[in-house]
Amino acid sequence: MNQMSNFTKGLLRENPILVLILGTCPTLGVTSSAANGLGMGLATTFVLVMSNLVISLVKSQIPDKVRIPSFIVIIAAFVTVVELVMQAYTPGLFKSLGIFIPLIVVNCIVLGRAEAFASKNNPLSSIVDGLGMGLGFTGALVILGSIRELLGNGTLFSFRFYPENYTTLLFVLAPGAFIVLGYMIAIVQKINKAKK
Amino acid sequence: MSYLVIFISAVLVNNIVLMQFLGICPFLGVSRRISTAAGMAGAVAFVLVLATLVTYLVQKMVLDPFGIGYLQTIAFILIIAALVQLVEIILKKVSPSLYQALGIYLPLITTNCAILGVAILTIQKEFNLLEGVVFAFSNAIGFGLALVLFAGIREHLDLMEVPAGLKGTPIALVTAGILAMAFMGFSGLI
């Protein structure tokens, strides 16, 4: 497959959040600010690229029957790496993402790409696929986080745009996450329909 | 902490789905009919309590004494995956009727982040064993409550005229947002 289209499919056409609707738990849970969304997105991208690479390298050694448990162990190993590195170098971010870092293990996007792509393709394509999907995920998280932070807190990446008195607190709280993501997916659906 | 406070906090105030965003995939995926939602809620409750019990014992008796707490994520996910398989096999043998009812939901539960999330939260909150089990059970009730309520709303939503772009997942998410808003009303309870 052409590497360029392999890369871009994750960004738009098959965006994991906005089109495939996978991995909604971290998407909603960590996007109370744009910076949190970016941190979570990059952590997931790292796990996605590394697990895709390793799985596509060892795929011929793994018996078909224990395929899924083996994938999960490989993914969990990289999640542990991310967890320890973030704890050491970005303790603030580690604290605000909280339980959602170990939960990258059960993010459907990571296991989904391992099963659907990395277990069938060569290492290079798998890296490119992981990078595209990861950046698509990151992009959607940053947009969602930016909208929520701007409406709910009046800031963007902690830079203040308008005074606190005019903010709508609802958007940084739980309901805001559901509602903003709902409308984002609605817009993408509308655009996709108009193209056809 | 009293058990009643743990129960009310987990079911209403900090509802696992609507306030903590754990287990959203099954929340959106199997909430089209009340009957399937109830089946899923039952299966989750069963596995959630069992998984929390086993992971708690493993953490306290294996990981902590040997100082290998950093293996928590790997150990827990393997335990949960094995447990789900085990439950499936035992249920098939012991109670075929229950297996018929819960069977199709069991494989989905391994990747339900509510299970791993509650297991890790139980350790983080430093509960003792009984508190942990009560916490897991309360969260299972909270999950079931949110799922069945949401399924009831979605059954009615199917009969409504929804703008083309909002059909399917978007309107479900907006509805979940309004449901979460309703649950915010409980926040003064504790």
Side-chain angles (χ1 to χ4, degrees):
Chain A
M1 198 201 283
N2 181 345
Q3 293 298 359
M4 196 58 206
S5 78
N6 186 12
F7 176 69
T8 53
K9 75 169 187 291
L11 297 180
L12 293 169
R13 212 158 13 94
E14 290 179 27
N15 187 296
I17 294 177
L18 299 173
V19 181
L20 303 179
I21 315 185
L22 293 173
T24 29
C25 302
T27 308
L28 296 167
V30 303
T31 49
S32 54
S33 76
N36 281 355
L38 185 64
M40 185 69 201
L42 293 180
T44 309
T45 306
F46 172 78
V47 173
L48 202 48
V49 171
M50 295 308 288
S51 64
N52 258 8
L53 169 66
V54 171
I55 286 165
S56 78
L57 282 174
V58 300
K59 62 177 184 279
S60 53
Q61 316 288 328
I62 300 176
D64 210 38
K65 272 191 178 159
V66 293
R67 182 175 85 244
I68 302 286
S70 322
F71 291 171
I72 291 182
V73 174
I74 293 170
I75 294 165
F78 284 111
V79 171
T80 307
V81 170
V82 169
E83 222 179 321
L84 294 175
V85 169
M86 284 180 84
Q87 203 169 4
Y89 294 101
T90 55
L93 189 63
F94 180 77
K95 234 182 143 190
S96 60
L97 296 184
I99 191 163
F100 286 100
I101 300 173
L103 288 184
I104 297 175
V105 180
V106 283
N107 189 327
C108 333
I109 300 170
V110 184
L111 190 61
R113 291 329 286 174
E115 169 74 3
F117 197 92
S119 64
K120 297 188 185 87
N121 288 282
N122 64 38
L124 181 66
S125 314
S126 299
I127 294 180
V128 174
D129 175 77
L131 203 60
M133 283 288 163
L135 292 180
F137 180 70
T138 310
L141 280 188
V142 171
I143 295 171
L144 180 58
S146 305
I147 296 173
R148 288 181 65 194
E149 195 185 343
L150 199 60
L151 291 174
N153 207 18
T155 57
L156 192 57
F157 285 102
S158 303
F159 179 80
R160 184 157 291 286
F161 274 82
Y162 57 93
E164 220 163 323
N165 296 342
Y166 299 99
T167 57
T168 315
L169 186 64
L170 182 76
F171 285 100
V172 278
L173 299 177
F178 285 110
I179 293 170
V180 174
L181 183 65
Y183 279 105
M184 275 172 70
I185 296 173
I187 292 168
V188 171
Q189 277 191 3
K190 187 88 192 160
I191 293 171
N192 280 348
K193 276 216 182 85
K195 266 188 197 159
K196 279 172 199 164
Chain B
M1 204 195 287
S2 93
Y3 300 116
L4 189 66
V5 174
I6 295 179
F7 181 76
I8 292 176
S9 151
V11 175
L12 296 176
V13 182
N14 292 313
N15 187 284
I16 184 163
V17 181
L18 296 168
M19 290 294 150
Q20 312 215 39
F21 305 113
L22 297 174
I24 303 277
C25 299
F27 181 67
L28 292 175
V30 295
S31 57
R32 294 198 167 274
R33 290 277 162 270
I34 292 184
S35 54
T36 52
M40 184 67 176
V44 166
F46 196 57
V47 176
L48 188 55
V49 174
L50 206 58
T52 307
L53 187 68
V54 176
T55 50
Y56 186 88
L57 292 176
V58 167
Q59 173 82 23
K60 296 296 171 195
M61 298 170 91
V62 181
L63 297 184
D64 282 352
F66 291 103
I68 46 173
Y70 58 88
L71 287 179
Q72 192 192 50
T73 312
I74 300 180
F76 280 19
I77 190 73
L78 279 178
I79 293 169
I80 291 167
L83 211 59
V84 170
Q85 287 278 319
L86 205 66
V87 168
E88 206 177 334
I89 295 167
I90 293 174
L91 222 53
K92 211 175 187 173
K93 197 85 188 162
V94 176
S95 165
S97 59
L98 196 62
Y99 178 76
Q100 282 270 309
L102 302 184
I104 48 167
Y105 306 108
L106 283 172
L108 292 173
I109 289 180
T110 313
T111 51
N112 181 342
C113 47
I115 311 282
L116 183 60
V118 170
I120 296 174
L121 278 176
T122 307
I123 306 293
Q124 275 182 3
K125 291 183 187 248
E126 294 175 350
F127 286 141
N128 64 34
L129 184 60
L130 191 59
E131 282 172 342
V133 171
V134 171
F135 180 67
F137 178 72
S138 320
N139 272 311
I141 301 281
F143 180 79
L145 179 70
L147 197 62
V148 171
L149 275 180
F150 190 56
I153 298 174
R154 276 187 94 173
E155 282 191 356
H156 283 276
L157 212 58
D158 279 347
L159 306 172
M160 302 291 156
E161 288 243 349
V162 177
L166 277 168
K167 272 206 178 99
T169 315
I171 192 70
L173 280 166
V174 174
T175 311
I178 295 168
L179 195 58
M181 241 186 269
F183 267 75
M184 274 172 69
F186 292 120
S187 60
L189 217 55
I190 289 181

Short mmCIF file of all heavy atoms in Angstrom, two decimals, chain A residues 56-111:
data_model
loop_
_atom_site.label_atom_id
_atom_site.label_comp_id
_atom_site.label_asym_id
_atom_site.label_seq_id
_atom_site.Cartn_x
_atom_site.Cartn_y
_atom_site.Cartn_z
N SER A 56 4.22 -6.50 14.64
CA SER A 56 4.45 -6.89 13.25
C SER A 56 5.78 -7.63 13.10
O SER A 56 5.96 -8.43 12.19
CB SER A 56 4.39 -5.68 12.32
OG SER A 56 5.57 -4.96 12.40
N LEU A 57 6.73 -7.40 14.02
CA LEU A 57 8.01 -8.13 13.98
C LEU A 57 7.85 -9.58 14.45
O LEU A 57 8.46 -10.49 13.90
CB LEU A 57 9.06 -7.43 14.84
CG LEU A 57 9.71 -6.18 14.25
CD1 LEU A 57 10.61 -5.51 15.28
CD2 LEU A 57 10.50 -6.51 12.99
N VAL A 58 7.03 -9.79 15.50
CA VAL A 58 6.95 -11.12 16.09
C VAL A 58 5.70 -11.89 15.64
O VAL A 58 5.44 -12.98 16.14
CB VAL A 58 6.97 -11.07 17.64
CG1 VAL A 58 8.25 -10.44 18.13
CG2 VAL A 58 5.76 -10.34 18.17
N LYS A 59 4.94 -11.32 14.71
CA LYS A 59 3.65 -11.92 14.38
C LYS A 59 3.75 -13.37 13.92
O LYS A 59 2.87 -14.18 14.21
CB LYS A 59 2.90 -11.09 13.35
CG LYS A 59 3.60 -10.94 12.00
CD LYS A 59 2.71 -10.17 11.04
CE LYS A 59 3.31 -10.07 9.65
NZ LYS A 59 4.32 -9.01 9.55
N SER A 60 4.85 -13.72 13.22
CA SER A 60 4.95 -15.09 12.72
C SER A 60 5.28 -16.09 13.83
O SER A 60 5.08 -17.29 13.67
CB SER A 60 6.00 -15.16 11.61
OG SER A 60 7.20 -14.62 12.10
N GLN A 61 5.80 -15.59 14.98
CA GLN A 61 6.16 -16.49 16.09
C GLN A 61 4.97 -16.82 16.98
O GLN A 61 5.02 -17.77 17.75
CB GLN A 61 7.24 -15.84 16.98
CG GLN A 61 8.35 -15.16 16.23
CD GLN A 61 9.27 -16.17 15.57
OE1 GLN A 61 9.46 -17.26 16.08
NE2 GLN A 61 9.81 -15.82 14.41
N ILE A 62 3.93 -15.98 16.94
CA ILE A 62 2.82 -16.13 17.89
C ILE A 62 1.77 -17.10 17.34
O ILE A 62 1.26 -16.88 16.24
CB ILE A 62 2.15 -14.77 18.17
CG1 ILE A 62 3.17 -13.80 18.77
CG2 ILE A 62 0.97 -14.93 19.11
CD1 ILE A 62 2.65 -12.42 18.99
N PRO A 63 1.46 -18.17 18.09
CA PRO A 63 0.40 -19.07 17.64
C PRO A 63 -0.93 -18.32 17.58
O PRO A 63 -1.19 -17.44 18.42
CB PRO A 63 0.35 -20.15 18.73
CG PRO A 63 1.58 -19.98 19.53
CD PRO A 63 2.03 -18.57 19.37
N ASP A 64 -1.75 -18.69 16.62
CA ASP A 64 -2.97 -17.94 16.37
C ASP A 64 -3.90 -17.90 17.59
O ASP A 64 -4.58 -16.92 17.83
CB ASP A 64 -3.70 -18.54 15.18
CG ASP A 64 -4.48 -17.49 14.44
OD1 ASP A 64 -3.97 -16.36 14.32
OD2 ASP A 64 -5.61 -17.77 14.01
N LYS A 65 -3.91 -19.00 18.36
CA LYS A 65 -4.89 -19.11 19.45
C LYS A 65 -4.60 -18.16 20.61
O LYS A 65 -5.53 -17.71 21.28
CB LYS A 65 -4.91 -20.55 19.98
CG LYS A 65 -5.88 -21.42 19.22
CD LYS A 65 -6.07 -22.73 19.93
CE LYS A 65 -7.08 -23.58 19.19
NZ LYS A 65 -6.92 -25.00 19.52
N VAL A 66 -3.34 -17.90 20.89
CA VAL A 66 -3.02 -17.00 22.02
C VAL A 66 -2.63 -15.61 21.52
O VAL A 66 -1.93 -14.86 22.19
CB VAL A 66 -1.88 -17.57 22.90
CG1 VAL A 66 -2.33 -18.82 23.60
CG2 VAL A 66 -0.64 -17.83 22.08
N ARG A 67 -3.12 -15.28 20.32
CA ARG A 67 -2.78 -14.02 19.67
C ARG A 67 -3.17 -12.82 20.54
O ARG A 67 -2.33 -11.99 20.88
CB ARG A 67 -3.54 -14.01 18.34
CG ARG A 67 -3.34 -12.85 17.45
CD ARG A 67 -4.09 -13.13 16.15
NE ARG A 67 -5.48 -12.76 16.26
CZ ARG A 67 -6.52 -13.59 16.19
NH1 ARG A 67 -6.32 -14.87 16.01
NH2 ARG A 67 -7.74 -13.16 16.30
N ILE A 68 -4.45 -12.76 20.94
CA ILE A 68 -4.94 -11.57 21.65
C ILE A 68 -4.23 -11.39 23.00
O ILE A 68 -3.73 -10.29 23.28
CB ILE A 68 -6.48 -11.64 21.84
CG1 ILE A 68 -7.18 -11.76 20.48
CG2 ILE A 68 -7.00 -10.44 22.61
CD1 ILE A 68 -7.20 -10.51 19.66
N PRO A 69 -4.13 -12.43 23.86
CA PRO A 69 -3.39 -12.23 25.12
C PRO A 69 -1.95 -11.77 24.88
O PRO A 69 -1.45 -10.89 25.62
CB PRO A 69 -3.40 -13.62 25.76
CG PRO A 69 -4.55 -14.31 25.16
CD PRO A 69 -4.74 -13.76 23.79
N SER A 70 -1.28 -12.32 23.86
CA SER A 70 0.10 -11.88 23.59
C SER A 70 0.13 -10.41 23.23
O SER A 70 1.01 -9.67 23.70
CB SER A 70 0.71 -12.68 22.44
OG SER A 70 0.30 -14.00 22.49
N PHE A 71 -0.81 -9.98 22.38
CA PHE A 71 -0.85 -8.56 22.01
C PHE A 71 -1.03 -7.70 23.25
O PHE A 71 -0.37 -6.67 23.41
CB PHE A 71 -2.02 -8.29 21.04
CG PHE A 71 -1.85 -8.90 19.68
CD1 PHE A 71 -2.90 -8.90 18.78
CD2 PHE A 71 -0.65 -9.47 19.30
CE1 PHE A 71 -2.75 -9.46 17.53
CE2 PHE A 71 -0.49 -10.04 18.05
CZ PHE A 71 -1.56 -10.03 17.16
N ILE A 72 -1.93 -8.14 24.14
CA ILE A 72 -2.22 -7.33 25.33
C ILE A 72 -0.98 -7.20 26.20
O ILE A 72 -0.69 -6.13 26.73
CB ILE A 72 -3.42 -7.91 26.12
CG1 ILE A 72 -4.70 -7.72 25.30
CG2 ILE A 72 -3.57 -7.23 27.47
CD1 ILE A 72 -5.94 -8.22 25.99
N VAL A 73 -0.21 -8.29 26.33
CA VAL A 73 1.01 -8.22 27.15
C VAL A 73 2.01 -7.24 26.54
O VAL A 73 2.61 -6.42 27.25
CB VAL A 73 1.64 -9.62 27.31
CG1 VAL A 73 2.98 -9.52 28.03
CG2 VAL A 73 0.71 -10.52 28.08
N ILE A 74 2.17 -7.28 25.22
CA ILE A 74 3.10 -6.36 24.55
C ILE A 74 2.66 -4.92 24.78
O ILE A 74 3.45 -4.04 25.15
CB ILE A 74 3.18 -6.67 23.04
CG1 ILE A 74 3.83 -8.03 22.82
CG2 ILE A 74 3.95 -5.58 22.31
CD1 ILE A 74 3.74 -8.55 21.41
N ILE A 75 1.36 -4.68 24.60
CA ILE A 75 0.82 -3.32 24.80
C ILE A 75 1.03 -2.88 26.25
O ILE A 75 1.49 -1.76 26.52
CB ILE A 75 -0.67 -3.27 24.41
CG1 ILE A 75 -0.84 -3.51 22.90
CG2 ILE A 75 -1.28 -1.93 24.79
CD1 ILE A 75 -2.25 -3.83 22.48
N ALA A 76 0.71 -3.78 27.19
CA ALA A 76 0.83 -3.43 28.62
C ALA A 76 2.27 -3.08 28.97
O ALA A 76 2.52 -2.19 29.78
CB ALA A 76 0.32 -4.57 29.48
N ALA A 77 3.24 -3.77 28.35
CA ALA A 77 4.64 -3.47 28.62
C ALA A 77 4.96 -2.03 28.23
O ALA A 77 5.59 -1.29 29.00
CB ALA A 77 5.53 -4.43 27.85
N PHE A 78 4.52 -1.60 27.05
CA PHE A 78 4.82 -0.23 26.62
C PHE A 78 4.05 0.80 27.44
O PHE A 78 4.56 1.90 27.69
CB PHE A 78 4.54 -0.06 25.12
CG PHE A 78 5.60 -0.69 24.28
CD1 PHE A 78 5.34 -1.82 23.53
CD2 PHE A 78 6.88 -0.18 24.28
CE1 PHE A 78 6.32 -2.43 22.79
CE2 PHE A 78 7.88 -0.78 23.54
CZ PHE A 78 7.60 -1.91 22.80
N VAL A 79 2.84 0.43 27.88
CA VAL A 79 2.09 1.35 28.73
C VAL A 79 2.84 1.57 30.05
O VAL A 79 2.94 2.69 30.55
CB VAL A 79 0.66 0.83 29.00
CG1 VAL A 79 -0.02 1.66 30.06
CG2 VAL A 79 -0.14 0.85 27.72
N THR A 80 3.42 0.49 30.59
CA THR A 80 4.20 0.61 31.82
C THR A 80 5.40 1.53 31.61
O THR A 80 5.72 2.35 32.47
CB THR A 80 4.66 -0.78 32.28
OG1 THR A 80 3.52 -1.63 32.36
CG2 THR A 80 5.31 -0.72 33.65
N VAL A 81 6.05 1.41 30.44
CA VAL A 81 7.18 2.30 30.12
C VAL A 81 6.72 3.75 30.15
O VAL A 81 7.33 4.61 30.81
CB VAL A 81 7.77 1.95 28.74
CG1 VAL A 81 8.78 3.01 28.31
CG2 VAL A 81 8.42 0.58 28.76
N VAL A 82 5.62 4.04 29.45
CA VAL A 82 5.10 5.41 29.40
C VAL A 82 4.78 5.91 30.81
O VAL A 82 5.11 7.04 31.19
CB VAL A 82 3.83 5.47 28.52
CG1 VAL A 82 3.13 6.81 28.68
CG2 VAL A 82 4.19 5.25 27.08
N GLU A 83 4.14 5.04 31.60
CA GLU A 83 3.75 5.40 32.96
C GLU A 83 4.97 5.83 33.78
O GLU A 83 4.95 6.87 34.43
CB GLU A 83 3.12 4.15 33.59
CG GLU A 83 1.89 4.39 34.40
CD GLU A 83 1.34 3.09 34.95
OE1 GLU A 83 1.36 2.06 34.22
OE2 GLU A 83 0.91 3.09 36.10
N LEU A 84 6.04 5.01 33.72
CA LEU A 84 7.22 5.30 34.53
C LEU A 84 7.92 6.56 34.04
O LEU A 84 8.35 7.40 34.84
CB LEU A 84 8.18 4.11 34.51
CG LEU A 84 7.64 2.84 35.18
CD1 LEU A 84 8.60 1.68 35.01
CD2 LEU A 84 7.37 3.08 36.65
N VAL A 85 8.01 6.73 32.70
CA VAL A 85 8.69 7.91 32.15
C VAL A 85 7.94 9.18 32.52
O VAL A 85 8.53 10.18 32.95
CB VAL A 85 8.83 7.78 30.61
CG1 VAL A 85 9.28 9.11 30.01
CG2 VAL A 85 9.82 6.69 30.27
N MET A 86 6.59 9.14 32.40
CA MET A 86 5.80 10.34 32.72
C MET A 86 5.88 10.67 34.20
O MET A 86 5.93 11.84 34.59
CB MET A 86 4.35 10.15 32.30
CG MET A 86 4.16 10.26 30.81
SD MET A 86 2.47 10.03 30.33
CE MET A 86 1.82 11.65 30.59
N GLN A 87 5.89 9.64 35.03
CA GLN A 87 5.98 9.86 36.47
C GLN A 87 7.29 10.57 36.82
O GLN A 87 7.33 11.42 37.69
CB GLN A 87 5.91 8.51 37.18
CG GLN A 87 5.45 8.61 38.61
CD GLN A 87 5.14 7.25 39.19
OE1 GLN A 87 5.33 6.22 38.53
NE2 GLN A 87 4.66 7.21 40.41
N ALA A 88 8.36 10.23 36.07
CA ALA A 88 9.67 10.80 36.37
C ALA A 88 9.83 12.20 35.81
O ALA A 88 10.38 13.07 36.48
CB ALA A 88 10.76 9.88 35.83
N TYR A 89 9.37 12.45 34.56
CA TYR A 89 9.71 13.71 33.90
C TYR A 89 8.56 14.72 33.83
O TYR A 89 8.81 15.91 33.74
CB TYR A 89 10.24 13.43 32.49
CG TYR A 89 11.57 12.71 32.52
CD1 TYR A 89 11.65 11.34 32.30
CD2 TYR A 89 12.73 13.41 32.81
CE1 TYR A 89 12.86 10.67 32.37
CE2 TYR A 89 13.95 12.76 32.87
CZ TYR A 89 14.01 11.40 32.65
OH TYR A 89 15.21 10.75 32.73
N THR A 90 7.31 14.27 33.82
CA THR A 90 6.19 15.22 33.78
C THR A 90 5.20 14.89 34.89
O THR A 90 4.07 14.48 34.62
CB THR A 90 5.46 15.18 32.43
OG1 THR A 90 5.06 13.82 32.18
CG2 THR A 90 6.31 15.66 31.29
N PRO A 91 5.62 15.05 36.16
CA PRO A 91 4.76 14.64 37.27
C PRO A 91 3.41 15.36 37.30
O PRO A 91 2.41 14.78 37.68
CB PRO A 91 5.60 14.96 38.52
CG PRO A 91 6.67 15.86 38.06
CD PRO A 91 6.90 15.59 36.63
N GLY A 92 3.38 16.64 36.86
CA GLY A 92 2.13 17.39 36.86
C GLY A 92 1.11 16.76 35.93
O GLY A 92 -0.05 16.51 36.29
N LEU A 93 1.57 16.47 34.71
CA LEU A 93 0.70 15.85 33.70
C LEU A 93 0.28 14.45 34.16
O LEU A 93 -0.87 14.05 34.02
CB LEU A 93 1.43 15.77 32.36
CG LEU A 93 0.61 15.36 31.15
CD1 LEU A 93 -0.48 16.38 30.89
CD2 LEU A 93 1.48 15.21 29.93
N PHE A 94 1.23 13.73 34.74
CA PHE A 94 0.96 12.38 35.24
C PHE A 94 -0.18 12.40 36.23
O PHE A 94 -1.07 11.55 36.21
CB PHE A 94 2.23 11.81 35.89
CG PHE A 94 2.06 10.42 36.44
CD1 PHE A 94 2.06 9.32 35.60
CD2 PHE A 94 1.90 10.21 37.80
CE1 PHE A 94 1.92 8.03 36.09
CE2 PHE A 94 1.75 8.93 38.30
CZ PHE A 94 1.76 7.84 37.45
N LYS A 95 -0.18 13.43 37.09
CA LYS A 95 -1.21 13.52 38.11
C LYS A 95 -2.56 13.88 37.50
O LYS A 95 -3.59 13.33 37.89
CB LYS A 95 -0.81 14.57 39.15
CG LYS A 95 -0.84 13.99 40.55
CD LYS A 95 -0.50 15.01 41.59
CE LYS A 95 -1.35 14.77 42.81
NZ LYS A 95 -1.25 15.83 43.77
N SER A 96 -2.56 14.81 36.53
CA SER A 96 -3.85 15.24 36.01
C SER A 96 -4.46 14.19 35.07
O SER A 96 -5.67 14.13 34.92
CB SER A 96 -3.75 16.61 35.33
OG SER A 96 -2.86 16.56 34.26
N LEU A 97 -3.64 13.37 34.43
CA LEU A 97 -4.22 12.30 33.60
C LEU A 97 -4.65 11.12 34.46
O LEU A 97 -5.53 10.36 34.10
CB LEU A 97 -3.22 11.83 32.53
CG LEU A 97 -2.82 12.86 31.49
CD1 LEU A 97 -1.91 12.24 30.45
CD2 LEU A 97 -4.03 13.44 30.80
N GLY A 98 -3.97 10.95 35.60
CA GLY A 98 -4.38 9.97 36.60
C GLY A 98 -4.56 8.56 36.07
O GLY A 98 -3.69 8.02 35.38
N ILE A 99 -5.74 8.02 36.35
CA ILE A 99 -5.99 6.61 36.06
C ILE A 99 -6.03 6.31 34.56
O ILE A 99 -5.90 5.17 34.14
CB ILE A 99 -7.29 6.18 36.74
CG1 ILE A 99 -7.44 4.66 36.68
CG2 ILE A 99 -8.49 6.85 36.13
CD1 ILE A 99 -8.44 4.14 37.63
N PHE A 100 -6.16 7.34 33.74
CA PHE A 100 -6.30 7.07 32.31
C PHE A 100 -4.99 6.66 31.65
O PHE A 100 -5.00 6.18 30.52
CB PHE A 100 -6.91 8.29 31.59
CG PHE A 100 -8.37 8.42 31.88
CD1 PHE A 100 -8.83 9.30 32.81
CD2 PHE A 100 -9.28 7.58 31.24
CE1 PHE A 100 -10.18 9.39 33.11
CE2 PHE A 100 -10.62 7.65 31.53
CZ PHE A 100 -11.08 8.57 32.46
N ILE A 101 -3.85 6.82 32.32
CA ILE A 101 -2.59 6.34 31.73
C ILE A 101 -2.53 4.81 31.75
O ILE A 101 -2.36 4.21 30.69
CB ILE A 101 -1.37 6.98 32.42
CG1 ILE A 101 -1.43 8.49 32.25
CG2 ILE A 101 -0.08 6.46 31.80
CD1 ILE A 101 -0.38 9.23 33.02
N PRO A 102 -2.69 4.15 32.93
CA PRO A 102 -2.73 2.68 32.84
C PRO A 102 -3.87 2.17 31.96
O PRO A 102 -3.76 1.09 31.37
CB PRO A 102 -2.93 2.23 34.29
CG PRO A 102 -3.25 3.45 35.08
CD PRO A 102 -2.69 4.60 34.33
N LEU A 103 -4.92 2.95 31.81
CA LEU A 103 -6.05 2.48 31.01
C LEU A 103 -5.80 2.55 29.51
O LEU A 103 -6.64 2.12 28.73
CB LEU A 103 -7.32 3.28 31.35
CG LEU A 103 -7.93 2.96 32.72
CD1 LEU A 103 -9.21 3.73 32.92
CD2 LEU A 103 -8.20 1.48 32.86
N ILE A 104 -4.62 3.06 29.08
CA ILE A 104 -4.29 2.99 27.65
C ILE A 104 -4.28 1.53 27.19
O ILE A 104 -4.58 1.22 26.05
CB ILE A 104 -2.91 3.65 27.36
CG1 ILE A 104 -2.95 5.13 27.70
CG2 ILE A 104 -2.52 3.49 25.90
CD1 ILE A 104 -1.60 5.82 27.57
N VAL A 105 -3.97 0.61 28.13
CA VAL A 105 -3.97 -0.83 27.81
C VAL A 105 -5.28 -1.26 27.18
O VAL A 105 -5.30 -2.03 26.22
CB VAL A 105 -3.75 -1.67 29.08
CG1 VAL A 105 -3.74 -3.15 28.75
CG2 VAL A 105 -2.48 -1.29 29.76
N VAL A 106 -6.39 -0.79 27.75
CA VAL A 106 -7.69 -1.24 27.26
C VAL A 106 -8.30 -0.27 26.26
O VAL A 106 -9.48 -0.37 25.93
CB VAL A 106 -8.69 -1.49 28.40
CG1 VAL A 106 -8.40 -2.80 29.08
CG2 VAL A 106 -8.67 -0.37 29.41
N ASN A 107 -7.48 0.68 25.75
CA ASN A 107 -7.97 1.56 24.69
C ASN A 107 -8.17 0.73 23.42
O ASN A 107 -7.24 0.13 22.90
CB ASN A 107 -6.93 2.67 24.45
CG ASN A 107 -7.46 3.73 23.53
OD1 ASN A 107 -8.24 3.45 22.64
ND2 ASN A 107 -7.04 4.95 23.75
N CYS A 108 -9.43 0.71 22.94
CA CYS A 108 -9.75 -0.17 21.80
C CYS A 108 -8.91 0.17 20.57
O CYS A 108 -8.66 -0.69 19.74
CB CYS A 108 -11.20 -0.08 21.41
SG CYS A 108 -12.31 0.38 22.71
N ILE A 109 -8.44 1.42 20.44
CA ILE A 109 -7.68 1.79 19.24
C ILE A 109 -6.40 0.96 19.15
O ILE A 109 -6.06 0.44 18.09
CB ILE A 109 -7.29 3.28 19.27
CG1 ILE A 109 -8.53 4.15 19.34
CG2 ILE A 109 -6.48 3.64 18.04
CD1 ILE A 109 -8.21 5.60 19.62
N VAL A 110 -5.70 0.82 20.29
CA VAL A 110 -4.39 0.16 20.27
C VAL A 110 -4.54 -1.31 19.89
O VAL A 110 -3.90 -1.81 18.97
CB VAL A 110 -3.69 0.31 21.63
CG1 VAL A 110 -2.30 -0.28 21.57
CG2 VAL A 110 -3.61 1.77 22.04
N LEU A 111 -5.44 -2.01 20.61
CA LEU A 111 -5.65 -3.43 20.30
C LEU A 111 -6.26 -3.60 18.91
O LEU A 111 -5.92 -4.52 18.17
CB LEU A 111 -6.54 -4.07 21.36
CG LEU A 111 -6.65 -5.59 21.30
CD1 LEU A 111 -5.29 -6.23 21.51
CD2 LEU A 111 -7.63 -6.11 22.33
#
